[in-house]
Amino acid sequence: MPLLETISFPYEDELRAERRRMVDTMADLSDEEFQSGRTLCSRWAPRDVLAHVIALDYLLASYLPYGPRINAANQAQVDRARPLSRDRLMEWAEQWAERPSTTGRAGAAFLLGDLGMHHQDVLRGLGRERTLPDTVATAVFREGLQLSLWLNRRVLRYRVVPTDGHRPVGRGPEVRGTREALGLWLAGRDSVKGDLEFA
C-alpha cells in the first residue's frame, strides 16, 4: 500500500461525508432539476456545480494550464462534463465521494468549505433546506471570508457576527446571521440577504 494512502489528513473524514451528502442530494433531484435547475451559481445548473466540485479533485490538471485565470478553468471543467449523461456523471461522483484523490485528501481542510458552499448553492437555488453539520457550517463561513477578500472586500467593510457559534470578524456596520448565510453573502450570493440582519 502506498505511504500516502496510510496517512489521515485533517478534515478528510468530514470531506468524505459532505461529498456523500452532496451525491445523495444530486440523486434525489428530478432529471429536469439536475439538468437545468436554478442554483446560486449564475449560469450553472446542478450538474454543472457537481462537475466543478469533482474537478477540484484534480487540482493540477484542472488549473495549471490556465494559470491565474481561475474562472476560465472553472468553466472549462463544466464544459468538459456537459456531454456526459446523468448516469455517467453520477458514476463519477460516486467514485469521487468514496475514493478522493491524494490531492483532494491533502487539501480537505480547504476543499470542505468550497464543497459545503456549492452544496448550498444547489439546495438554496432549488428552494431546499438542510441542517449543516457544525464543521461544514464553519468551513462555509471561512470560505466566505477568504473569497470576500478576493471578490468584494465585504469582510473589510463590515463586522460579521455569526449567531450560531463563531467569533465575530471585521469592523464596521454589523451583519448578523448563521455561519452558512454569512459565508454565502460574503462570497457574493446576495440572494441570502433576507436571512441576515443589517445594523
Side-chain angles (χ1 to χ4, degrees):
M1 178 180 292
L3 176 62
L4 286 176
E5 290 187 14
T6 67
I7 297 173
S8 179
F9 293 96
Y11 293 95
E12 181 180 345
D13 291 342
E14 290 86 348
L15 181 70
R16 289 177 187 268
E18 182 64 7
R19 286 183 175 189
R20 182 72 258 168
R21 287 187 287 267
M22 186 157 191
V23 169
D24 289 345
T25 291
M26 292 292 176
D28 191 48
L29 302 183
S30 69
D31 285 340
E32 183 177 356
E33 287 173 326
F34 185 84
Q35 297 291 350
S36 57
R38 181 180 176 274
T39 75
L40 301 191
C41 296
S42 61
R43 301 185 304 278
W44 283 4
R47 64 163 295 133
D48 300 325
V49 175
L50 180 61
H52 165 65
V53 294
I54 291 174
L56 289 174
D57 231 25
Y58 312 96
L59 285 171
L60 295 180
S62 294
Y63 288 96
L64 195 58
Y66 294 88
R69 296 178 301 129
I70 294 174
N71 289 336
N74 289 342
Q75 190 59 49
Q77 297 160 5
V78 169
D79 291 342
R80 279 194 299 270
R82 281 208 172 126
L84 298 178
S85 68
R86 178 179 185 173
D87 287 345
R88 179 64 192 94
L89 185 54
M90 288 300 294
E91 286 175 11
W92 193 11
E94 293 279 355
Q95 295 171 6
W96 162 81
E98 297 302 326
R99 295 188 296 280
S101 69
T102 300
T103 55
R105 294 170 53 234
F110 163 74
L111 293 173
L112 181 62
D114 183 78
L115 175 61
M117 184 169 288
H118 282 307
H119 194 172
Q120 293 307 111
D121 287 335
V122 171
L123 289 168
R124 278 181 171 266
L126 295 172
R128 301 188 182 198
E129 297 180 357
R130 69 164 175 156
T131 300
L132 275 71
D134 192 63
T135 53
V136 176
T138 297
V140 168
F141 180 61
R142 289 178 179 160
E143 178 78 0
L145 292 172
Q146 293 166 9
L147 288 175
S148 180
L149 289 172
W150 173 46
L151 295 171
N152 53 38
R153 306 289 195 271
R154 284 175 176 169
V155 69
L156 301 180
R157 301 195 312 270
Y158 294 89
R159 177 175 172 80
V160 290
V161 183
T163 56
D164 61 345
H166 195 284
R167 64 179 178 77
V169 177
R171 297 178 180 176
E174 280 195 0
V175 184
R176 303 174 67 87
T178 64
R179 288 166 289 173
E180 179 257 0
L182 286 170
L184 291 169
W185 175 75
L186 286 166
R189 276 73 163 174
D190 287 338
S191 62
V192 307
K193 288 176 75 171
D195 292 352
L196 302 174
E197 298 176 17
F198 291 82

